[in-house]
Amino acid sequence: MKNFQIIKALSSSSAVSSISKEKEAMFIAGGTNLVDLMKKNVVAPDKLVDITALDFAKIEFLTGKVSIGALAKNSQVAEDALIKEKHPLLALALAAGASQQIRHMATVGGNMLQKTRCSYFYNTDMPCNKRVPKSGCGAIGGSNRMHAIFGASDSCIAVHPSDMCVALAALDATVLVEGPKGKRQIKFTDFHRLPGNTPEKDNTLENKELITSVEIPDNNFTKNVHYLKVRDRTSYAFALVSVAVALDLKNNVINDVRLAMGGVAHKPWRLTEAEEFLKGKTVSEEIFKQAVNLSMKGAKAYGGNDFKLTLGPNAITEALTIAASK
Protein backbone atom coordinates (compact mmCIF):
# COMPACT_ATOMS: atom_id res chain seq x y z
CA MET A 1 0.00 0.00 0.00
CA LYS A 2 1.43 3.39 -0.93
CA ASN A 3 1.49 6.39 1.39
CA PHE A 4 -1.62 8.57 1.34
CA GLN A 5 -3.06 11.63 3.05
CA ILE A 6 -6.27 11.46 5.06
CA ILE A 7 -8.41 14.44 6.05
CA LYS A 8 -11.70 14.64 7.94
CA ALA A 9 -14.60 16.50 6.32
CA LEU A 10 -17.00 18.41 8.56
CA SER A 11 -19.68 19.14 5.92
CA SER A 12 -20.82 17.62 2.66
CA SER A 13 -19.74 20.73 0.75
CA SER A 14 -16.24 20.59 2.24
CA ALA A 15 -16.05 16.85 1.49
CA VAL A 16 -16.93 17.44 -2.16
CA SER A 17 -14.57 20.41 -2.34
CA SER A 18 -11.69 18.45 -0.81
CA ILE A 19 -12.01 15.49 -3.13
CA SER A 20 -12.44 17.71 -6.19
CA LYS A 21 -8.99 19.24 -5.71
CA GLU A 22 -7.09 16.04 -6.53
CA LYS A 23 -7.51 13.48 -9.28
CA GLU A 24 -6.61 10.47 -7.13
CA ALA A 25 -8.81 11.13 -4.10
CA MET A 26 -11.61 9.02 -2.63
CA PHE A 27 -14.22 9.18 0.13
CA ILE A 28 -13.92 6.74 3.03
CA ALA A 29 -16.46 5.81 5.71
CA GLY A 30 -16.51 2.24 7.09
CA GLY A 31 -13.71 1.22 4.73
CA THR A 32 -14.70 -2.45 4.76
CA ASN A 33 -14.09 -2.80 1.01
CA LEU A 34 -11.87 0.17 0.19
CA VAL A 35 -9.12 -0.77 2.66
CA ASP A 36 -8.96 -4.29 1.17
CA LEU A 37 -8.62 -2.81 -2.31
CA MET A 38 -5.84 -0.51 -1.13
CA LYS A 39 -3.96 -3.35 0.56
CA LYS A 40 -4.00 -5.32 -2.69
CA ASN A 41 -3.00 -2.23 -4.74
CA VAL A 42 -6.17 -2.49 -6.81
CA VAL A 43 -6.78 1.16 -5.99
CA ALA A 44 -4.13 3.60 -4.77
CA PRO A 45 -5.57 7.00 -3.83
CA ASP A 46 -3.30 9.88 -2.90
CA LYS A 47 -5.90 11.26 -0.50
CA LEU A 48 -8.80 9.87 1.50
CA VAL A 49 -11.58 12.17 2.64
CA ASP A 50 -13.09 10.78 5.84
CA ILE A 51 -16.85 11.54 5.82
CA THR A 52 -17.80 9.82 9.08
CA ALA A 53 -18.41 13.16 10.85
CA LEU A 54 -21.19 14.14 8.44
CA ASP A 55 -24.81 14.04 9.56
CA PHE A 56 -25.83 11.24 7.19
CA ALA A 57 -26.57 8.38 9.58
CA LYS A 58 -30.26 9.03 10.32
CA ILE A 59 -33.20 6.82 9.44
CA GLU A 60 -36.23 9.10 9.04
CA PHE A 61 -39.80 8.06 8.31
CA LEU A 62 -41.32 10.91 6.32
CA THR A 63 -44.61 11.37 4.52
CA GLY A 64 -44.80 8.69 1.83
CA LYS A 65 -41.24 7.41 2.24
CA VAL A 66 -38.33 6.49 4.47
CA SER A 67 -34.98 8.27 4.16
CA ILE A 68 -31.86 6.29 5.09
CA GLY A 69 -28.63 8.25 5.44
CA ALA A 70 -25.62 7.05 3.48
CA LEU A 71 -23.61 6.69 6.70
CA ALA A 72 -26.20 4.54 8.46
CA LYS A 73 -24.55 1.24 9.36
CA ASN A 74 -25.89 -1.93 7.75
CA SER A 75 -26.63 -3.40 11.19
CA GLN A 76 -28.42 -0.20 12.27
CA VAL A 77 -30.81 -0.41 9.31
CA ALA A 78 -31.31 -4.18 9.56
CA GLU A 79 -32.21 -3.97 13.24
CA ASP A 80 -34.43 -0.87 13.09
CA ALA A 81 -37.92 -1.80 14.33
CA LEU A 82 -39.78 0.34 11.78
CA ILE A 83 -37.63 -0.89 8.90
CA LYS A 84 -38.51 -4.45 9.92
CA GLU A 85 -42.18 -3.50 10.05
CA LYS A 86 -42.49 -1.36 6.91
CA HIS A 87 -39.66 -2.69 4.71
CA PRO A 88 -38.90 -6.22 5.95
CA LEU A 89 -37.35 -7.24 2.61
CA LEU A 90 -34.54 -4.74 3.18
CA ALA A 91 -33.94 -5.98 6.72
CA LEU A 92 -33.78 -9.59 5.49
CA ALA A 93 -31.31 -8.75 2.72
CA LEU A 94 -29.03 -6.81 5.06
CA ALA A 95 -29.07 -9.60 7.63
CA ALA A 96 -27.92 -12.01 4.91
CA GLY A 97 -24.89 -9.89 4.00
CA ALA A 98 -21.33 -10.52 5.22
CA SER A 99 -20.65 -11.13 8.94
CA GLN A 100 -22.08 -9.34 11.96
CA GLN A 101 -18.76 -7.57 12.50
CA ILE A 102 -18.72 -6.27 8.92
CA ARG A 103 -22.34 -5.13 9.18
CA HIS A 104 -21.45 -3.10 12.27
CA MET A 105 -18.84 -1.17 10.23
CA ALA A 106 -20.22 -1.11 6.68
CA THR A 107 -22.37 1.85 5.65
CA VAL A 108 -25.32 2.02 3.28
CA GLY A 109 -23.41 4.24 0.84
CA GLY A 110 -20.34 2.06 0.97
CA ASN A 111 -22.42 -1.07 0.42
CA MET A 112 -23.74 0.47 -2.79
CA LEU A 113 -20.22 1.29 -4.00
CA GLN A 114 -18.47 -1.96 -3.16
CA LYS A 115 -16.51 -3.60 -5.94
CA THR A 116 -16.97 -7.00 -7.50
CA ARG A 117 -15.32 -9.97 -5.78
CA CYS A 118 -14.09 -11.39 -9.10
CA SER A 119 -10.70 -13.00 -8.39
CA TYR A 120 -9.23 -11.52 -11.57
CA PHE A 121 -10.16 -8.02 -10.43
CA TYR A 122 -8.35 -8.52 -7.11
CA ASN A 123 -5.24 -10.16 -8.62
CA THR A 124 -3.08 -7.42 -10.19
CA ASP A 125 -1.05 -10.05 -12.05
CA MET A 126 -4.10 -11.11 -14.06
CA PRO A 127 -5.95 -9.35 -16.90
CA CYS A 128 -9.10 -7.46 -15.92
CA ASN A 129 -10.87 -4.80 -17.95
CA LYS A 130 -12.50 -3.41 -14.79
CA ARG A 131 -9.14 -2.77 -13.17
CA VAL A 132 -7.10 -1.99 -16.29
CA PRO A 133 -9.32 -1.12 -19.29
CA LYS A 134 -8.55 -3.06 -22.47
CA SER A 135 -6.29 -5.56 -20.66
CA GLY A 136 -8.77 -8.40 -21.23
CA CYS A 137 -11.21 -10.40 -19.12
CA GLY A 138 -9.51 -13.35 -17.46
CA ALA A 139 -12.83 -14.78 -16.30
CA ILE A 140 -14.00 -15.41 -19.87
CA GLY A 141 -12.46 -18.79 -20.56
CA GLY A 142 -11.04 -18.89 -17.03
CA SER A 143 -12.44 -19.48 -13.56
CA ASN A 144 -15.98 -18.09 -13.68
CA ARG A 145 -18.07 -20.05 -11.18
CA MET A 146 -19.27 -16.88 -9.42
CA HIS A 147 -19.92 -14.89 -12.58
CA ALA A 148 -22.81 -13.35 -14.52
CA ILE A 149 -25.51 -15.03 -16.54
CA PHE A 150 -27.36 -11.80 -17.40
CA GLY A 151 -26.26 -8.52 -18.99
CA ALA A 152 -22.60 -9.45 -19.44
CA SER A 153 -20.40 -8.39 -22.34
CA ASP A 154 -17.24 -9.49 -24.11
CA SER A 155 -15.39 -7.07 -21.82
CA CYS A 156 -16.62 -8.30 -18.43
CA ILE A 157 -18.73 -11.01 -16.81
CA ALA A 158 -18.27 -9.92 -13.18
CA VAL A 159 -21.20 -9.60 -10.77
CA HIS A 160 -22.15 -6.99 -8.19
CA PRO A 161 -21.76 -8.56 -4.71
CA SER A 162 -24.31 -6.67 -2.59
CA ASP A 163 -27.39 -8.21 -0.94
CA MET A 164 -28.75 -4.86 0.26
CA CYS A 165 -28.74 -3.47 -3.26
CA VAL A 166 -30.90 -6.31 -4.57
CA ALA A 167 -33.60 -5.38 -2.08
CA LEU A 168 -33.30 -1.65 -2.78
CA ALA A 169 -33.63 -2.30 -6.52
CA ALA A 170 -36.76 -4.36 -5.87
CA LEU A 171 -38.23 -1.65 -3.63
CA ASP A 172 -37.90 1.16 -6.21
CA ALA A 173 -35.48 3.16 -4.08
CA THR A 174 -33.98 6.50 -5.10
CA VAL A 175 -30.38 7.59 -4.48
CA LEU A 176 -29.68 11.20 -3.43
CA VAL A 177 -26.23 12.56 -4.24
CA GLU A 178 -24.30 15.80 -3.96
CA GLY A 179 -21.37 16.90 -6.10
CA PRO A 180 -19.53 19.84 -7.64
CA LYS A 181 -22.59 20.54 -9.83
CA GLY A 182 -25.05 20.41 -6.93
CA LYS A 183 -27.62 17.86 -5.77
CA ARG A 184 -29.56 15.32 -7.82
CA GLN A 185 -31.56 12.10 -7.56
CA ILE A 186 -30.97 8.78 -9.32
CA LYS A 187 -33.43 5.87 -9.59
CA PHE A 188 -31.82 2.92 -7.86
CA THR A 189 -32.34 0.68 -10.88
CA ASP A 190 -30.34 3.23 -12.90
CA PHE A 191 -27.57 3.66 -10.33
CA HIS A 192 -25.48 0.59 -11.16
CA ARG A 193 -24.36 -0.06 -14.73
CA LEU A 194 -24.01 -3.08 -16.97
CA PRO A 195 -20.42 -3.54 -18.18
CA GLY A 196 -20.78 -2.92 -21.92
CA ASN A 197 -17.46 -1.62 -23.26
CA THR A 198 -16.67 0.32 -20.08
CA PRO A 199 -16.75 -2.22 -17.22
CA GLU A 200 -14.51 0.03 -15.13
CA LYS A 201 -17.59 2.25 -14.59
CA ASP A 202 -19.64 0.53 -11.89
CA ASN A 203 -22.31 3.18 -11.51
CA THR A 204 -23.76 6.40 -12.87
CA LEU A 205 -22.24 8.74 -10.29
CA GLU A 206 -20.60 11.72 -11.89
CA ASN A 207 -17.05 12.75 -11.01
CA LYS A 208 -16.59 13.40 -7.25
CA GLU A 209 -20.26 12.97 -6.35
CA LEU A 210 -21.11 11.89 -2.80
CA ILE A 211 -24.07 9.69 -1.84
CA THR A 212 -26.02 11.43 0.92
CA SER A 213 -29.06 9.16 1.39
CA VAL A 214 -31.40 6.56 -0.08
CA GLU A 215 -35.19 6.91 -0.11
CA ILE A 216 -37.75 4.11 -0.32
CA PRO A 217 -41.37 4.94 -1.15
CA ASP A 218 -44.10 3.52 1.06
CA ASN A 219 -45.57 0.25 -0.19
CA ASN A 220 -47.75 -2.68 0.88
CA PHE A 221 -44.90 -5.21 0.94
CA THR A 222 -44.97 -5.78 4.68
CA LYS A 223 -45.82 -9.47 4.99
CA ASN A 224 -45.33 -11.69 1.95
CA VAL A 225 -41.64 -11.06 1.39
CA HIS A 226 -38.56 -13.26 1.24
CA TYR A 227 -34.85 -12.89 0.54
CA LEU A 228 -33.25 -16.16 -0.52
CA LYS A 229 -29.46 -16.29 -0.65
CA VAL A 230 -27.82 -19.42 -2.02
CA ARG A 231 -24.12 -19.53 -1.10
CA ASP A 232 -21.29 -21.93 -0.41
CA ARG A 233 -21.51 -21.45 3.36
CA THR A 234 -24.05 -19.78 5.62
CA SER A 235 -21.84 -16.97 6.92
CA TYR A 236 -19.50 -14.44 5.32
CA ALA A 237 -20.01 -15.68 1.78
CA PHE A 238 -21.24 -13.93 -1.34
CA ALA A 239 -24.27 -15.16 -3.21
CA LEU A 240 -24.04 -17.69 -5.97
CA VAL A 241 -27.63 -16.63 -6.66
CA SER A 242 -29.98 -14.56 -4.54
CA VAL A 243 -33.64 -13.64 -5.02
CA ALA A 244 -35.66 -10.81 -3.48
CA VAL A 245 -39.44 -11.27 -3.58
CA ALA A 246 -42.14 -8.89 -2.36
CA LEU A 247 -45.82 -9.72 -2.88
CA ASP A 248 -48.93 -7.70 -2.13
CA LEU A 249 -51.61 -10.39 -1.82
CA LYS A 250 -55.34 -10.17 -1.27
CA ASN A 251 -57.41 -13.36 -1.24
CA ASN A 252 -54.44 -15.12 -2.86
CA VAL A 253 -54.44 -12.68 -5.80
CA ILE A 254 -51.21 -10.83 -6.56
CA ASN A 255 -52.09 -7.13 -6.56
CA ASP A 256 -48.48 -6.06 -6.88
CA VAL A 257 -45.07 -7.74 -6.94
CA ARG A 258 -41.36 -6.97 -6.98
CA LEU A 259 -38.66 -9.41 -8.07
CA ALA A 260 -34.91 -8.96 -8.26
CA MET A 261 -31.85 -11.20 -8.35
CA GLY A 262 -28.30 -10.92 -7.09
CA GLY A 263 -25.14 -12.83 -8.01
CA VAL A 264 -26.19 -12.96 -11.65
CA ALA A 265 -25.23 -9.62 -13.22
CA HIS A 266 -22.99 -6.55 -13.01
CA LYS A 267 -25.88 -4.84 -11.20
CA PRO A 268 -28.92 -5.96 -9.19
CA TRP A 269 -31.08 -7.70 -11.81
CA ARG A 270 -34.72 -6.61 -11.73
CA LEU A 271 -37.20 -9.10 -13.24
CA THR A 272 -39.70 -6.62 -14.61
CA GLU A 273 -41.22 -8.88 -17.27
CA ALA A 274 -42.04 -11.53 -14.70
CA GLU A 275 -43.47 -8.85 -12.38
CA GLU A 276 -45.86 -7.62 -15.04
CA PHE A 277 -46.94 -11.18 -15.82
CA LEU A 278 -47.70 -11.97 -12.17
CA LYS A 279 -49.82 -8.89 -11.44
CA GLY A 280 -53.49 -9.83 -11.13
CA LYS A 281 -52.79 -13.57 -11.16
CA THR A 282 -53.94 -16.02 -8.51
CA VAL A 283 -51.06 -17.71 -6.71
CA SER A 284 -50.38 -21.19 -8.07
CA GLU A 285 -47.47 -23.47 -8.90
CA GLU A 286 -48.18 -23.14 -12.63
CA ILE A 287 -48.24 -19.33 -12.52
CA PHE A 288 -44.93 -19.28 -10.69
CA LYS A 289 -43.44 -21.68 -13.24
CA GLN A 290 -44.45 -19.38 -16.10
CA ALA A 291 -43.00 -16.37 -14.27
CA VAL A 292 -39.73 -18.23 -13.73
CA ASN A 293 -39.48 -19.04 -17.43
CA LEU A 294 -39.87 -15.35 -18.22
CA SER A 295 -37.26 -14.48 -15.59
CA MET A 296 -34.56 -16.63 -17.20
CA LYS A 297 -34.96 -15.29 -20.74
CA GLY A 298 -31.58 -14.27 -22.16
CA ALA A 299 -29.53 -16.07 -19.51
CA LYS A 300 -26.09 -17.20 -20.72
CA ALA A 301 -23.44 -19.11 -18.79
CA TYR A 302 -19.69 -19.35 -19.36
CA GLY A 303 -18.72 -22.89 -18.36
CA GLY A 304 -17.87 -22.71 -14.70
CA ASN A 305 -21.21 -21.10 -13.87
CA ASP A 306 -23.43 -23.30 -16.05
CA PHE A 307 -25.10 -24.56 -12.86
CA LYS A 308 -26.67 -21.12 -12.38
CA LEU A 309 -28.97 -21.84 -15.33
CA THR A 310 -30.59 -24.48 -13.11
CA LEU A 311 -29.98 -22.87 -9.72
CA GLY A 312 -31.49 -19.55 -10.86
CA PRO A 313 -35.01 -20.78 -11.73
CA ASN A 314 -35.06 -23.11 -8.72
CA ALA A 315 -34.17 -20.21 -6.43
CA ILE A 316 -36.86 -17.95 -7.91
CA THR A 317 -39.47 -20.69 -7.52
CA GLU A 318 -38.49 -21.32 -3.89
CA ALA A 319 -38.43 -17.62 -3.00
CA LEU A 320 -41.84 -16.98 -4.57
CA THR A 321 -43.34 -20.02 -2.86
CA ILE A 322 -42.01 -19.05 0.57
CA ALA A 323 -43.11 -15.41 0.21
CA ALA A 324 -46.62 -16.43 -0.86
CA SER A 325 -47.02 -18.83 2.05
CA LYS A 326 -46.39 -16.27 4.83
Side-chain angles (χ1 to χ4, degrees):
M1 183 189 298
K2 77 173 187 180
N3 291 333
F4 59 90
Q5 177 188 13
I6 185 165
I7 63 172
K8 198 171 189 72
L10 299 179
S11 68
S12 57
S13 59
S14 67
V16 170
S17 176
S18 296
I19 204 171
S20 298
K21 293 176 181 177
E22 294 189 30
K23 182 179 180 181
E24 300 297 331
M26 302 179 73
F27 297 118
I28 185 168
T32 55
N33 184 212
L34 178 57
V35 173
D36 284 344
L37 294 169
M38 292 172 65
K39 287 178 178 178
K40 293 180 177 294
N41 293 312
V42 176
V43 298
D46 295 321
K47 177 191 285 187
L48 293 179
V49 179
D50 181 351
I51 59 173
T52 54
L54 305 187
D55 188 24
F56 292 158
K58 296 177 182 177
I59 302 174
E60 298 179 288
F61 289 84
L62 309 172
T63 303
K65 63 186 177 184
V66 59
S67 173
I68 303 172
L71 293 178
K73 300 296 179 61
N74 286 185
S75 57
Q76 174 191 353
V77 181
E79 295 163 10
D80 184 274
L82 281 177
I83 290 290
K84 287 183 175 181
E85 177 186 338
K86 295 179 177 295
H87 300 290
L89 181 63
L90 177 58
L92 290 171
L94 281 165
S99 65
Q100 189 173 21
Q101 293 91 336
I102 294 292
R103 294 196 297 271
H104 282 324
M105 284 298 297
T107 63
V108 167
N111 189 313
M112 292 167 57
L113 296 176
Q114 64 181 301
K115 299 291 187 178
T116 182
R117 263 51 180 195
C118 175
S119 59
Y120 295 95
F121 177 74
Y122 273 82
N123 188 342
T124 55
D125 293 328
M126 301 298 290
C128 173
N129 289 319
K130 284 183 68 62
R131 180 171 29 81
V132 182
K134 303 190 185 306
S135 64
C137 176
I140 297 178
S143 177
N144 51 42
R145 180 171 178 269
M146 300 293 292
H147 289 68
I149 57 173
F150 293 113
S153 72
D154 292 338
S155 296
C156 180
I157 60 172
V159 299
H160 192 266
S162 172
D163 294 294
M164 178 196 78
C165 290
V166 180
L168 288 175
L171 294 172
D172 293 320
T174 300
V175 185
L176 280 64
V177 304
E178 181 176 343
K181 298 180 181 178
K183 300 178 181 181
R184 69 185 182 109
Q185 299 184 7
I186 308 168
K187 288 177 58 178
F188 201 90
T189 49
D190 293 334
F191 182 81
H192 297 97
R193 295 166 53 105
L194 293 178
N197 296 321
T198 54
E200 71 276 11
K201 297 180 179 179
D202 289 316
N203 54 64
T204 54
L205 282 177
E206 294 183 358
N207 192 34
K208 312 303 183 185
E209 282 188 321
L210 171 67
I211 301 170
T212 58
S213 65
V214 175
E215 294 180 347
I216 306 173
D218 290 348
N219 57 58
N220 293 321
F221 305 123
T222 57
K223 180 184 177 184
N224 299 101
V225 303
H226 190 63
Y227 186 76
L228 176 66
K229 183 177 183 178
V230 183
R231 46 188 162 175
D232 288 324
R233 58 186 187 276
T234 56
S235 178
Y236 200 54
F238 296 99
L240 295 169
V241 168
S242 64
V243 184
V245 176
L247 299 171
D248 175 14
L249 298 180
K250 186 174 183 180
N251 298 324
N252 225 31
V253 174
I254 303 170
N255 291 328
D256 203 0
V257 55
R258 299 289 186 274
L259 289 171
M261 297 183 74
V264 296
H266 200 256
K267 61 183 291 184
W269 192 253
R270 184 79 175 263
L271 304 174
T272 52
E273 188 173 356
E275 289 176 353
E276 289 303 314
F277 169 78
L278 285 170
K279 289 177 184 177
K281 302 292 196 306
T282 299
V283 169
S284 71
E285 182 179 345
E286 180 58 30
I287 287 300
F288 285 168
K289 181 179 179 180
Q290 293 179 49
V292 167
N293 289 337
L294 288 173
S295 299
M296 296 302 295
K297 285 173 58 176
K300 175 186 176 182
Y302 293 86
N305 66 346
D306 286 357
F307 69 94
K308 289 190 179 185
L309 299 179
T310 300
L311 179 60
N314 288 345
I316 300 168
T317 300
E318 182 176 347
L320 279 167
T321 302
I322 293 173
S325 66
K326 291 184 177 181

